[in-house]
Amino acid sequence: MNIASHCHRVILIALITCVGSLLCADENQKPNILYIMSDDMGFSDLGCYGSEIDTPNLNRLAERGLRFTQFYNTGRCCPTRASLLTGLYPHQAGIGHMMQDRGHDGYRGELNRNCVTIAEALKSAGYRSYLSGKWHVTSKVQPESSADKFNWPLQRGFDRFYGTIHGAGSFWDPNSLTRDNEFVSPFSDPLYPRDSDPGDDQDDSDDFYYTDAISDHAVGFIHDHHQNVGDQPFFLYVSYTAAHWPMHARKADIAKYIGKYDAGYEAIRKARFEKMIRLGLLNRNSVTPWPIPQDWINDNHWEWDKRCMEVYAAMIDNMDQGIGRIVTALKDTGQFENTLICFFQDNGGCAENYGRQSKSTTLRQDAPTLAPLPKEHLQVHMQPKQTRDGYPVRTGAMVMPGPSDTYIAYGRVWATVSNTPFREYKHFCHEGGISSPLIMHWPGGLSRAGEIEHTPAHLIDLMATAVDVAQTSYPDTYHDGRPIKPAEGVSLQPLLSGEPIQRDAIYWEHEGNRAIRMGDWKLVAKKANGPWELYNIAKDRSEQNDLADQMPERAKEMADRWQQYAQRANVLPLNPKKPSGQRKKQ
């Protein structure tokens, strides 16, 4: 045997041995699971879902992953989080409305002990769990003792946590900022030091900015896990507050979008709609964009309104940059190929007019008018009363958003653009309130790179998916032997290889708004006493041709099915009010 032949044989044997070892390792190695959720964004706000906003990192995940066109959330922030974390409908987990106890089990404003979080469910499979970002599934935002933290992340299965307990706040100075189990000031934090004078007239790239902090801590959790317990799989939940009001963004990110929206609402929406058609996300014959109410448009405030959208776009851009850093961390630690990544949103675009009602404009003063706050000060207000350096926080028409002394939502018209081409917004169960992108990416477990998936799915399915890919079982009992409600979702793993999933129906309710989806048919209503409307979603995704009067038998059958769900899932009574004693306390 000559030397060359011998060398070839040795190399071949080595390759076979190496590949065999890798196959054996992969066969036994459980995947990491990374769930990323954004806040208050519409269906068309990502580049890969039609937008003009620069989201290259999410676009790449979509191009090499699976893009869903009919994935649903619950239409509101904390019910979505409860549903995602537990695999139950929100009322079953105790959070049918927001974070107040309304006197009924479906509306306690706390995760109950008859559910488990994904972090708790995966413990038996050897997973460590991390959370970076917004929690918002407990009323105990200002606990009086450690016992009040019974529903904080570490008490619900997570090994590490960095983020906010509350549901909204300043991006420059968030309230309830917490590391693990203790509050922390963003400006006296030795583990993440940042400038204590955010939003000034100088470069703000070193200032604390919450979206960056969420991304950076997610990156840190990945590296720490790899260094300390790299032989275990992990579940990482990244829960951004972008692009929830207030419209706050870094100057460099805003600069990219100056002039981007000069063409106006309708032109931007038309461009998005045409791009969605080209991408294969929508069928032109089954969708007509829901019209913008003309009385919502105020031409006198156009420069202000345009600035709101420029800042909104910058917030999403910054989030995408952070997701890019998270992906890089996975690659640097050799975990990218073996990580299931899912990106989705908590509700549709937000038409709330927070900070926009006042017609008066408060100008920024030339110098601070209030005493500066110490670095160690803990912010406890959703809307801070002042900046750290002493400027009052301003709201009202023509207050240009972005800096730390402003607190403004982007308004109802831009929310309509975000929700292109759907009807209604956050809070509601029409498509604009509950439709979310879903990008699933997993090089080691997905064989449909770049495809579009039209199967209806719901975020209750993400618990079932996590349990499935982790090769474990959903528990029957937990929390010292308490019975656990059966998970409601269906694993989406079969779709990754082109296999179908089977389901009976999907249900919704929030604030009396309610819906049921069965196949291509959807029954939906606004408010507790509102009439049922019936739509064929395959032919009328924008819900403009109500068939309830033409098909009363189908409407009644679906209404009866929804009623059965409501009775078993703690939904009733619809939209209960807070007890009077609690109202006084508030």
Side-chain angles (χ1 to χ4, degrees):
M1 183 182 291
N2 61 39
I3 294 176
S5 297
H6 177 71
C7 288
H8 289 156
R9 184 171 181 272
V10 169
I11 292 171
L12 180 60
I13 292 171
L15 285 171
I16 292 172
T17 302
C18 180
V19 171
S21 298
L22 287 173
L23 289 174
C24 291
D26 287 344
E27 185 178 341
N28 297 316
Q29 186 180 12
K30 295 179 178 181
N32 307 307
I33 301 168
L34 169 57
Y35 286 171
I36 306 173
M37 181 158 64
S38 67
D39 200 344
D40 279 19
M41 286 173 54
F43 186 74
S44 71
D45 277 332
L46 302 181
C48 53
Y49 276 81
S51 176
E52 68 295 329
I53 300 172
D54 194 19
T55 57
N57 296 293
L58 285 167
N59 295 353
R60 277 191 291 271
L61 292 176
E63 289 163 4
R64 301 165 189 172
L66 194 61
R67 230 176 316 178
F68 284 65
T69 63
Q70 298 188 72
F71 183 73
Y72 290 111
N73 50 50
T74 74
R76 192 77 178 276
C77 39
C78 46
T80 280
R81 283 160 175 76
S83 203
L84 163 68
L85 284 166
T86 65
L88 301 174
Y89 288 107
H91 310 78
Q92 295 172 304
I95 304 181
H97 186 253
M98 297 291 280
M99 310 321 303
Q100 306 91 22
D101 187 347
R102 292 179 172 244
H104 300 273
D105 286 347
Y107 301 90
R108 296 297 181 188
E110 294 281 352
L111 282 184
N112 59 42
R113 286 300 190 270
N114 295 114
C115 66
V116 291
T117 67
I118 296 175
E120 290 167 336
L122 297 186
K123 277 195 180 298
S124 62
Y127 280 72
R128 288 182 63 82
S129 295
Y130 308 92
L131 166 56
S132 184
K134 173 174 167 177
W135 183 234
H136 204 201
V137 286
T138 179
S139 63
K140 304 299 183 183
V141 177
Q142 295 295 327
E144 297 179 1
S145 68
S146 59
D148 281 347
K149 300 178 182 180
F150 62 95
N151 264 337
W152 280 29
L154 266 60
Q155 283 70 23
R156 293 308 302 248
F158 287 89
D159 296 286
R160 296 293 311 279
F161 168 58
Y162 177 89
T164 44
I165 304 298
H166 194 270
S170 168
F171 286 75
W172 301 110
D173 193 5
N175 73 96
S176 73
L177 187 65
T178 301
R179 174 171 284 107
D180 293 329
N181 247 5
E182 301 299 330
F183 288 134
V184 61
S185 166
F187 307 113
S188 62
D189 182 359
L191 299 181
Y192 191 67
R194 284 296 180 269
D195 194 330
S196 62
D197 186 17
D200 61 18
D201 293 331
Q202 306 303 315
D203 176 28
D204 60 16
S205 59
D206 289 331
D207 293 348
F208 178 91
Y209 183 65
Y210 189 32
T211 304
D212 279 337
I214 291 171
S215 301
D216 293 343
H217 281 80
V219 167
F221 288 151
I222 292 170
H223 283 288
D224 289 349
H225 179 92
H226 177 67
Q227 293 170 7
N228 299 321
V229 286
D231 57 337
Q232 292 181 251
F234 66 77
F235 167 56
L236 174 56
Y237 171 31
V238 181
S239 180
Y240 286 105
T241 54
H244 194 296
W245 47 256
M247 301 296 99
H248 284 164
R250 293 197 184 280
K251 295 182 180 69
D253 294 328
I254 298 171
K256 291 175 60 175
Y257 295 94
I258 300 300
K260 191 78 170 180
Y261 298 97
D262 288 0
Y265 314 109
E266 290 289 3
I268 298 299
R269 190 167 68 143
K270 182 179 179 181
R272 287 192 178 195
F273 181 67
E274 294 300 325
K275 184 177 178 182
M276 296 168 87
I277 299 296
R278 292 196 305 273
L279 291 172
L281 299 167
L282 299 173
N283 182 333
R284 188 187 301 276
N285 296 326
S286 65
V287 180
T288 301
W290 190 259
I292 298 174
Q294 290 304 300
D295 60 349
W296 287 10
I297 298 175
N298 187 336
D299 293 331
N300 295 330
H301 290 160
W302 169 240
E303 290 301 319
W304 172 55
D305 225 23
K306 182 177 64 171
R307 172 57 178 252
C308 287
M309 189 61 189
E310 292 167 352
V311 178
Y312 179 83
M315 296 169 75
I316 295 171
D317 188 310
N318 181 276
M319 177 189 70
D320 183 81
Q321 295 171 42
I323 291 171
R325 298 198 297 276
I326 293 170
V327 168
T328 297
L330 291 172
K331 291 178 178 179
D332 289 346
T333 56
Q335 297 299 314
F336 182 66
E337 299 291 320
N338 194 42
T339 299
L340 167 63
I341 303 174
C342 296
F343 174 89
F344 45 95
Q345 298 166 185
D346 71 339
N347 46 247
C350 176
E352 297 167 354
N353 274 331
Y354 193 101
R356 300 174 63 90
Q357 295 91 337
S358 173
K359 302 303 181 185
S360 61
T361 301
T362 304
L363 299 177
R364 180 183 171 95
Q365 300 298 309
D366 293 334
T369 59
L370 301 169
L373 299 173
K375 289 186 176 183
E376 62 275 10
H377 173 77
L378 295 176
Q379 178 59 253
V380 297
H381 301 289
M382 183 184 74
Q383 178 185 324
K385 299 182 183 302
Q386 66 171 86
T387 64
R388 290 277 170 158
D389 52 348
Y391 288 94
V393 171
R394 299 171 293 138
T395 63
M398 298 304 291
V399 170
M400 294 297 182
S404 60
D405 66 332
T406 66
Y407 212 93
I408 302 287
Y410 78 150
R412 299 179 293 181
V413 186
W414 287 122
T416 308
V417 175
S418 286
N419 282 342
T420 301
F422 300 141
R423 175 183 174 186
E424 299 299 345
Y425 314 88
K426 172 183 175 180
H427 297 263
F428 300 101
C429 296
H430 288 77
E431 294 291 285
I434 58 176
S435 295
S436 167
L438 172 62
I439 300 168
M440 297 186 75
H441 181 281
W442 183 13
L446 188 151
S447 59
R448 302 178 60 198
E451 293 189 22
I452 305 292
E453 178 57 66
H454 299 293
T455 300
H458 189 281
L459 49 81
I460 54 172
D461 299 333
L462 296 180
M463 165 68 92
T465 304
V467 168
D468 193 6
V469 302
Q471 305 161 44
T472 189
S473 300
Y474 181 85
D476 296 322
T477 61
Y478 208 85
H479 306 301
D480 300 323
R482 296 192 186 196
I484 299 302
K485 296 177 182 178
E488 294 278 349
V490 178
S491 173
L492 302 181
Q493 187 172 13
L495 296 175
L496 302 182
S497 57
E499 298 297 322
I501 60 173
Q502 300 296 324
R503 76 174 340 128
D504 185 28
I506 305 173
Y507 304 92
W508 293 266
E509 192 283 333
H510 184 65
E511 296 181 319
N513 305 307
R514 56 208 189 279
I516 175 175
R517 172 91 188 251
M518 297 174 63
D520 289 336
W521 293 95
K522 181 180 175 187
L523 194 72
V524 60
K526 288 178 67 173
K527 301 183 180 180
N529 296 317
W532 285 111
E533 305 163 12
L534 178 66
Y535 300 100
N536 185 324
I537 295 299
K539 298 179 180 179
D540 182 19
R541 182 87 191 270
S542 49
E543 299 169 307
Q544 300 193 48
N545 183 24
D546 180 6
L547 302 174
D549 290 340
Q550 299 177 37
M551 308 181 73
E553 292 92 355
R554 184 182 292 276
K556 183 179 185 307
E557 176 193 355
M558 294 179 69
D560 290 344
R561 291 286 298 276
W562 184 89
Q563 189 69 22
Q564 293 167 18
Y565 150 76
Q567 289 170 344
R568 73 169 176 82
N570 298 337
V571 175
L572 304 178
L574 280 181
N575 200 24
K577 304 304 180 186
K578 290 182 288 186
S580 57
Q582 195 178 122
R583 283 199 297 271
K584 289 177 184 177
K585 240 188 256 186
Q586 300 284 328

